[in-house]
Amino acid sequence: MSMRPGDLFELAERPWPLPPVLALVAACWGVLGWPWLSGRVTIPWDAKAQFLPQIQFMAHSFWSGESPAWAPFVFSGHAQIADPQSMLFSPPFLILAAVSPNPTSHQVDITVLLAILAGMLAVAAWFHERNWHWAGAVLAALSFGFGASMAWRIQHTSQVMSLAMLAIVLVLLERALKKSSWGHGLAAGITAAFLVLARDQIALISVYLLIAYVVAYWLASSIGRSDDERGITQRIRSSFLPLAAGTLAGALVIALPILMTTLAA
């Protein structure tokens, strides 16, 4: 069968079912992550010396009926609520602390890997939203979860959470912009707020990336191929409601923690 120029590009853009690809990504995650999931090895260094005690303190506070906002064991006391590394505003570890009164290092490792899996699935979903090839979605998800930046920072738990959150925000933001959906915009803003509350350099760079992403969306019809032929003015107008909803929700979530950190600093 002969192929015309451009046929390969069109084949790559045909819709593909998302669930099987997500299942394949999850299976690859299980294989690559098995040494840590099984407990044979552990995530070392800062993950255990810095972040594990913080998570255990939070869980102990929850289960003893005390506030995790103040830690009496550091000098004459320490404002945990103002500490960017306290993990008090990290949803995966809030869930872990809520279900386990004394999180073990293995449980924390599993939570980290589950957060990475969530980010990997989000990368695959993002490829699906943009009509890119399913094989690229799998490769990108594996590279995101086990290569480059994530692998190098695996001991820095808060930065791992930031990277995972970034992928989820990208999917929600893509849907919010394409569908002019205030609901997706709201979800993107809340998720981005928890990204910001990591208050690390990955979160800062991610915020710059998300801003550039929105600007690129506005300019897409004039700088490249796009299925959506709306002009810049129309794109800005259609994105106003979802971006406003996300900005308002995100600002409400981050206001108090950021104020606390500013006062502590």
Side-chain angles (χ1 to χ4, degrees), residues 215-237:
V215 174
Y217 167 78
W218 289 340
L219 300 175
S221 61
S222 61
I223 64 175
R225 186 179 184 276
S226 174
D227 294 330
D228 183 351
E229 297 301 330
R230 291 178 295 177
I232 296 174
T233 302
Q234 291 88 346
R235 284 181 175 235
I236 293 175
R237 287 177 178 173

Side-chain angles (χ1 to χ4, degrees), residues 55 59-60 63 95-104 107:
I55 296 164
H60 293 165
W63 286 80
I95 294 172
L96 176 61
V99 300
S100 176
N102 186 31
T104 64
Q107 288 174 330

Side-chain angles (χ1 to χ4, degrees), residues 239-263:
S239 65
F240 177 79
L241 184 58
L243 291 177
T247 300
L248 178 60
L252 290 174
V253 172
I254 69 173
L256 181 60
I258 293 295
L259 176 61
M260 292 289 186
T261 299
T262 302
L263 292 174

Side-chain angles (χ1 to χ4, degrees), residues 52-230:
L52 177 60
Q54 303 270 29
I55 296 164
Q56 290 175 332
F57 171 77
M58 176 168 58
H60 293 165
S61 299
F62 287 167
W63 286 80
S64 63
E66 298 178 353
S67 171
W70 182 263
F73 309 114
V74 182
F75 299 111
S76 297
H78 178 70
Q80 285 288 100
I81 196 171
D83 187 348
Q85 296 182 329
S86 68
M87 312 308 291
L88 279 174
F89 299 98
S90 176
F93 291 109
L94 283 170
I95 294 172
L96 176 61
V99 300
S100 176
N102 186 31
T104 64
S105 61
H106 186 216
Q107 288 174 330
V108 172
D109 286 353
I110 291 175
T111 303
V112 169
L113 287 168
L114 286 173
I116 292 173
L117 173 61
M120 293 170 65
L121 297 177
V123 168
W126 183 55
F127 265 64
H128 186 265
E129 284 293 318
R130 299 187 66 81
N131 294 321
W132 290 342
H133 201 286
W134 68 267
V138 175
L139 180 60
L142 293 176
S143 300
F144 176 83
F146 290 96
S149 189
M150 189 73 80
W152 187 86
R153 291 180 169 86
I154 191 64
Q155 63 162 316
H156 301 137
T157 306
S158 69
Q159 296 183 27
V160 172
M161 296 299 109
S162 295
L163 285 167
M165 286 288 181
L166 172 62
I168 298 171
V169 174
L170 276 175
V171 177
L172 295 171
L173 182 60
E174 176 77 13
R175 291 184 176 180
L177 294 174
K178 286 175 63 175
K179 300 176 184 297
S180 299
S181 168
W182 70 266
H184 283 102
L186 187 70
I190 293 173
T191 308
F194 287 109
L195 164 65
V196 169
L197 288 179
R199 286 160 285 182
D200 52 44
Q201 62 266 42
I202 301 302
L204 178 63
I205 295 170
S206 297
V207 169
Y208 294 153
L209 174 63
L210 292 171
I211 293 171
Y213 192 85
V214 172
V215 174
Y217 167 78
W218 289 340
L219 300 175
S221 61
S222 61
I223 64 175
R225 186 179 184 276
S226 174
D227 294 330
D228 183 351
E229 297 301 330
R230 291 178 295 177

